[in-house]
Amino acid sequence: MGYFFQQLVNGIMLGSVYSLVALGLTLIFGILGVAHFAHGHFYMLGAFLMFFLSVSFGVPYWAALAISVAFFCLVGVGVEFIYRPVRDKSDVSAFIVAIGMLLVIEEAVRAVWGTGNRRITNPYPQVLKFAGITLQYQRLIIIGAAIVLIVLLHLFIKRTRMGSAIEAVAQDREGAALVGISVNRVSILTFSVATGLAAAAAGLAAPLAFIAPDMANTLVLKAFVIIVLGGLGSIKGAILGGYLLGVMEALAIAYISPAYKDVWAFAALILILAIRPTGLFGGRE
Amino acid sequence: MLLEIKSLTKKFGGLVAVDGVDLEVEAGTIMGVVGPNGAGKTTLFNLMSGQLKPTSGKIKFDGVGIDGLKPFRIARLGIGRTFQNTSLFDRLPLTVNMAIARRMRTHSGFFDSLVPIREREEEADVARRALEMLEFVGLAGNAESIAGSLPQIAKKRLAIGMALVGEPKLILLDEPTGGVGGDDISGLIELICQIRERGVAVCVIEHKMRMVMGLSDRIVVLNFGRKIACGTPEEVSEDPGVIEAYLGSGYSA
Amino acid sequence: MTAENLRKYGVFIAALVVACLLPYIGISKFMLNVIIYAGIFSIATMSLNIIMGYTGQVSLAQGAFYGIGAYGLALLTNKAGLNFWVAMLLACLITALVGLLIGLLAFRTRGPYFIIVTLCFNFIVYVVIKNWDWLSGGVRGQKIAGPEFFAGRDARYYLVLGFVLLALFITWRLSRSLEGLGFMAVRDNEPLADALGINITYTKIVAFMISCFLAGLAGCLGALHTGYLSPSSAHYMLSFNFIIYLLVGGAGTLYGPLVGTFTVYLALEFMKDIGEYRFMIFGAILILTVIYFPRGIVGGLKSLRRWLKSFRKKIAGNKKAEEGA
């Protein structure tokens, strides 16, 4: 039972990361129709920035995290500008731009930091023990921080003018433009928030992970699986799907086989889409 | 009867777009479909040609039940159609547009394309019919132009030709004169009459009342998804229900 | 041959003559090797062109089908002991069959969903090949031996050349056949094609099977030429590469895949000295191509020629008008 519970916590932690990344992706996809396939690479960049700040400059953990998130909110603005010329073209164009972006980022990181795995020191190496389970503090911090971020995002969208503009564009882009909402501004804002979320997820998970240029390759694909299953553009679907996939994966690694750990999610996706071509929770065409 | 529709109903969520409509179309006649915006005319067409599946009711075409069939099956059975927004293959030349529309009547597959024996015969036949049809709709002079570069009226004519070139027994025209100027309209009316002369039945959605009255053999009037009248233009125009619900203010205009 | 035909096919014939003489004009072994690979990848890119360029369905699974072809050939020759040519044909047919099964599932979705489903499939194939030791030799890979005749590099070159021509022929015939009309109809306007009696799912699946057959063929040739197979032959980076080649060359054009593959692949080989930076340049080129040259090299040249023609006509018209005045 203790082992199961331990895996469950691992799954929820993994799910927290998935949810944060998938949230950004679903905002971008749902609102702008851009298949931002390079999103995972900004997660990877976020992890490297954490490494750079805390190892090379000795910046304390939380300060490094704050700097990283702020920086990547700005980076998101730049990303939006790259996508802008293809935003209203076919799905394919944006996807190809994303692949180009991903190649540039991955190779740039390789050129600067090499291909090896890097680590940053865990700021909270203590463990919590109860009822036969050992939990690292950092895992609990990830889970807690993800919940805080999700609640903040929810409040931002529901309670602020800027946030509700995002929701309006998500529901009806032309309508939103007609009532005077600037789609360009919303687009910039969305990319900024999404990229910031990815950096936050990366910063939170960084102390527990190997940091390498190819760390995000399956992450973005999984995030896509999550948002497709959750319904493109659905915030609730991305959160639920993220946690669900995290837990499923942790249990599959523990009880079935770690070699095929990445396969289950994708196989599930193909099967589910074959039965429900627009995702589990409805979603939009 | 060529087409028999029995108590056809389509619901979108709580909204009833088409509500228990009965309708019959005789071979080689023109049926006008009129009604105010949102009356369910286009939905009715989409049900007839398979773009939408009916919630309940039956559609029988040429003795075969077609409700719930996919659009391409219905097209092959002999119902052609145009769309309100004049949908074409914009990047391709007119001849290719026509050839695509004729494709369903050919049998050549992938292997025929590699060893073109049957293919050559069919290609020649398709090319001949495509040209013939372009002539019929008055576009023979533009045969090699790109469809997207045509003026609106020519696009309308091309769309009608594409619906016809597969030799349907019935074609559905969704607002063929929408967005077309005064002089061009009479040409389109003439074209629609010529279609009837070919023995093809026509269902036409139209807002311009005077035009529809002059053109149609029979007219069906829809309002809020219900059929409120059906008959010859004279019968319909004298129907008190129609005058009240729809024509009252519109007919005099 | 008429003058017009000569002009039309002149470039093609000249290129073919050069291609046939290539091993005899003092080309280095290294260079010939690069060209053979470019030829093999161009077949894979042509396979993508059929499903993406002509039918409008962006498949990110072509790397997987390349790998399925390659591993199919290896299994059928090494484990089943079949004759090489029989094994090759069977491997391509198996690839097409897998394409049929995946197509039946994947074509229930469209647009971005389809892209993601195919990419996931590619990923699954890659992981399975990497981990299923008995089947694939796992990460160690496995050797593969072709007929003795193809031990020489020149012979393999001509074999690849022959299959490049075959793939070109198939694309050429398809692009001007009735079957190809259906493909283009599905690509340009699905609802209209449906209303005009074209069975969309069937059309997509036929296109996908042809495409997979060719991808499998490229995989077989790749396996034969390398003589060794590792899981990277089914990596999804291959799928990305094929898309890049196709877009640079021009999707939906006959020669686009060939031109794109050779341009990009050769350029990357020559840039090997600058190491990993070349992929950055590559990525940047990709972004710029999609934004500013969405029709690729061949598509761009076509537009240019059309523009020149109309420009010349205009000048001629002006001259006439001047003479008249």
Side-chain angles (χ1 to χ4, degrees):
Chain A
M1 197 58 207
Y3 180 68
F4 172 79
F5 196 72
Q6 190 112 33
Q7 298 311 319
L8 197 64
V9 173
N10 278 348
I12 295 173
M13 182 209 76
L14 209 55
S16 306
V17 173
Y18 290 168
S19 286
L20 290 178
V21 175
L23 259 178
L25 206 59
T26 209
L27 284 176
I28 293 174
F29 206 138
I31 292 170
L32 307 161
V34 170
H36 181 28
F37 203 71
H39 193 55
H41 278 67
F42 288 95
Y43 173 92
M44 181 266 283
L45 274 180
F48 268 98
L49 185 63
M50 284 300 284
F51 169 78
F52 182 65
L53 289 173
S54 54
V55 176
S56 307
F57 282 93
V59 179
Y61 178 73
W62 290 104
L65 186 62
I67 295 173
S68 172
V69 171
F71 177 72
F72 277 97
C73 283
L74 282 179
V75 169
V77 176
V79 176
E80 200 275 337
F81 274 100
I82 298 177
Y83 275 119
R84 191 169 286 185
V86 289
R87 199 173 64 201
D88 293 317
K89 285 197 196 161
S90 66
D91 314 317
V92 187
S93 315
F95 200 87
I96 306 295
V97 168
I99 293 177
M101 209 183 293
L102 158 168
L103 286 172
V104 172
I105 293 172
E106 192 166 330
E107 297 311 328
V109 169
R110 278 214 175 111
V112 177
W113 281 293
T115 47
N117 288 333
R118 317 240 163 197
R119 300 209 71 149
I120 66 173
T121 44
N122 192 338
Y124 299 98
Q126 306 91 325
V127 289
L128 187 72
K129 282 191 183 172
F130 74 92
I133 313 166
T134 33
L135 291 174
Q136 285 172 289
Y137 271 123
Q138 186 64 25
R139 285 178 200 262
L140 297 177
I141 288 173
I142 294 175
I143 294 171
I147 292 173
V148 170
L149 282 171
I150 288 169
V151 170
L152 282 177
L153 182 77
H154 179 81
L155 290 177
F156 172 68
I157 288 178
K158 292 292 175 197
R159 297 286 162 80
T160 65
R161 263 184 69 90
M162 278 204 291
S164 54
I166 290 186
E167 202 171 29
V169 174
Q171 278 160 4
D172 181 357
R173 193 147 121 200
E174 276 150 33
L178 282 180
V179 298
I181 293 172
S182 156
V183 175
N184 279 345
R185 277 237 301 274
V186 169
S187 177
I188 290 173
L189 186 68
T190 307
F191 268 98
S192 177
V193 168
T195 314
L197 280 175
L204 287 169
L208 295 179
F210 286 115
I211 300 169
D214 58 358
M215 65 191 283
N217 285 1
T218 58
L219 179 67
V220 73
L221 205 51
K222 279 178 199 162
F224 264 112
V225 169
I226 291 163
I227 68 169
V228 168
L229 294 184
L232 294 183
S234 158
I235 292 175
K236 221 186 290 166
I239 297 168
L240 283 177
Y243 283 112
L244 201 67
L245 185 68
V247 170
M248 256 177 49
E249 201 177 299
L251 296 180
I253 293 172
Y255 293 104
I256 307 177
S257 147
Y260 290 99
K261 72 178 167 105
D262 292 330
V263 165
W264 308 122
F266 305 141
L269 172 94
I270 293 180
L271 284 179
I272 289 171
L273 278 185
I275 300 160
R276 293 208 45 160
T278 49
L280 268 189
F281 305 105
R284 329 184 310 176
E285 261 294 84
Chain B
M1 274 308 146
L2 182 65
L3 183 80
E4 286 170 80
I5 296 178
K6 287 243 163 62
S7 56
L8 191 68
T9 300
K10 178 68 188 179
K11 292 182 188 161
F12 295 106
L15 190 88
V16 187
V18 171
D19 191 358
V21 169
D22 296 307
L23 193 66
E24 290 185 340
V25 180
E26 213 172 312
T29 61
I30 297 178
M31 164 77 78
V33 181
V34 299
N37 278 328
K41 303 179 301 274
T42 298
T43 308
L44 181 66
F45 268 26
N46 285 341
L47 291 169
M48 286 156 75
S49 60
Q51 269 78 24
L52 293 173
K53 286 198 167 71
T55 312
S56 65
K58 289 258 166 287
I59 309 173
K60 220 169 171 189
F61 176 71
D62 218 8
V64 186
I66 59 164
D67 42 276
L69 288 187
K70 290 214 167 117
F72 77 90
R73 296 257 176 240
I74 294 176
R76 287 176 185 188
L77 285 172
I79 299 183
R81 73 165 294 175
T82 65
F83 291 90
Q84 206 169 359
N85 57 2
T86 327
S87 185
L88 299 170
F89 301 107
D90 281 330
R91 300 194 302 170
L92 302 173
L94 269 57
T95 43
V96 177
N97 270 269
M98 276 296 175
I100 290 173
R102 180 71 198 173
R103 166 70 180 144
M104 65 167 157
R105 299 287 176 229
T106 61
H107 306 280
S108 295
F110 168 62
F111 293 105
D112 293 296
S113 73
L114 296 186
V115 189
I117 303 167
R118 173 162 67 167
E119 172 108 14
R120 287 261 187 274
E121 274 173 41
E122 287 194 339
E123 268 174 24
D125 182 59
V126 166
R128 189 177 55 78
R129 283 172 188 278
L131 215 63
E132 227 174 63
M133 186 49 68
L134 283 174
E135 232 157 73
F136 177 72
V137 295
L139 293 171
N142 303 54
E144 292 309 319
S145 313
I146 302 293
S149 70
L150 293 176
Q152 187 63 19
I153 174 68
K155 283 186 180 171
K156 296 265 179 198
R157 285 173 168 272
L158 177 60
I160 293 173
M162 285 164 71
L164 267 180
V165 76
E167 290 173 284
K169 299 187 187 95
L170 167 69
I171 68 169
L172 315 176
L173 305 178
D174 196 345
E175 287 196 41
T177 65
V180 167
D183 293 348
D184 294 328
I185 290 179
S186 54
L188 278 175
I189 293 176
E190 203 176 310
L191 182 65
I192 294 170
C193 290
Q194 283 170 346
I195 294 171
R196 175 174 52 188
E197 280 161 31
R198 288 170 82 109
V200 177
V202 182
C203 281
V204 54
I205 294 179
E206 198 41 76
H207 279 302
K208 302 180 182 70
M209 282 312 295
R210 213 167 280 163
M211 169 186 160
V212 113
M213 289 289 173
L215 183 66
S216 313
D217 299 306
R218 290 174 72 78
I219 289 177
V220 57
V221 187
L222 297 179
N223 200 12
F224 296 113
R226 289 223 179 88
K227 181 172 90 171
I228 57 173
C230 186
T232 62
E234 295 76 34
E235 285 164 10
V236 167
S237 61
E238 283 159 14
D239 187 297
V242 174
I243 294 169
E244 189 191 333
Y246 179 61
L247 296 179
S249 57
Y251 191 42
S252 56
Chain C
M1 187 175 269
T2 63
E4 195 198 348
N5 270 344
L6 194 68
R7 209 179 320 141
K8 222 167 160 184
Y9 299 114
V11 178
F12 176 76
I13 291 169
L16 188 60
V17 169
V18 171
C20 284
L21 297 176
L22 204 60
Y24 300 102
I25 53 173
I27 195 165
S28 71
K29 265 188 192 161
F30 165 77
M31 196 56 213
L32 194 63
N33 217 18
V34 170
I35 288 177
I36 293 175
Y37 273 120
I40 292 169
F41 290 144
S42 76
I43 295 176
T45 310
M46 284 188 238
S47 86
L48 180 64
N49 193 25
I50 286 173
I51 190 68
M52 175 174 157
Y54 286 106
T55 321
Q57 311 299 308
V58 181
S59 158
L60 275 179
Q62 297 311 102
F65 292 115
Y66 182 93
I68 290 172
Y71 275 95
L73 178 70
L75 283 177
L76 291 171
T77 52
N78 289 349
K79 287 226 154 66
L82 285 182
N83 168 281
F84 179 80
W85 299 108
V86 176
M88 190 155 154
L89 181 65
L90 272 180
C92 296
L93 288 175
I94 288 171
T95 315
L97 201 69
V98 176
L100 169 69
L101 295 177
I102 292 304
L104 283 173
L105 289 180
F107 284 125
R108 293 175 52 82
T109 66
R110 47 183 67 157
Y113 290 89
F114 179 76
I115 304 181
I116 292 163
V117 167
T118 50
L119 184 55
C120 283
F121 170 71
N122 201 150
F123 195 85
I124 291 172
V125 169
Y126 171 67
V127 173
V128 167
I129 286 180
K130 205 166 86 178
N131 290 304
W132 195 352
D133 242 35
W134 174 83
L135 188 79
S136 63
V139 280
R140 279 171 290 111
Q142 59 178 297
K143 280 212 170 82
I144 179 166
E148 203 126 311
F149 180 71
F150 291 109
R153 188 173 277 115
D154 287 4
R156 288 202 300 270
Y157 170 79
Y158 284 111
L159 182 74
V160 170
L161 178 62
F163 279 117
V164 166
L165 289 175
L166 176 74
L168 261 184
F169 173 76
I170 290 175
T171 313
W172 173 66
R173 282 304 315 157
L174 262 180
S175 68
R176 34 182 61 221
S177 70
L178 293 168
E179 186 78 356
L181 282 182
F183 291 8
M184 287 184 256
V186 169
R187 173 191 69 191
D188 285 359
N189 194 336
E190 261 188 45
L192 180 60
D194 201 7
L196 291 172
I198 289 169
N199 186 343
I200 289 176
T201 312
Y202 176 81
T203 305
K204 285 178 182 173
I205 284 178
V206 169
F208 200 43
M209 285 178 73
I210 299 167
S211 166
C212 290
F213 185 93
L214 284 178
L217 173 67
C220 289
L221 293 171
L224 172 72
H225 181 55
T226 319
Y228 174 80
L229 263 183
S230 72
S232 65
S233 323
H235 202 276
Y236 50 87
M237 266 317 280
L238 279 179
S239 301
F240 288 171
N241 286 348
F242 299 150
I243 283 208
I244 291 162
Y245 299 154
L246 181 60
L247 282 172
V248 169
T253 61
L254 177 56
Y255 295 109
L258 203 62
V259 172
T261 309
F262 274 83
T263 309
V264 177
Y265 190 76
L266 263 62
L268 281 178
E269 280 302 319
F270 288 124
M271 291 197 301
K272 259 200 170 139
D273 297 340
I274 59 170
E276 299 291 358
Y277 289 111
R278 64 203 172 114
F279 284 102
M280 291 172 63
I281 299 173
F282 197 36
I285 289 176
L286 192 62
I287 296 176
L288 294 176
T289 309
V290 172
I291 297 177
Y292 297 105
F293 305 100
R295 291 159 51 83
I297 297 175
V298 173
L301 283 178
K302 270 187 175 167
S303 303
L304 186 71
R305 209 167 57 193
R306 208 170 300 141
W307 180 82
L308 277 177
K309 223 173 172 181
S310 69
F311 183 72
R312 242 182 268 143
K313 247 189 210 160
K314 219 196 244 163
I315 289 188
N318 283 350
K319 248 190 200 153
K320 246 186 209 156
E322 272 169 31
E323 277 165 14

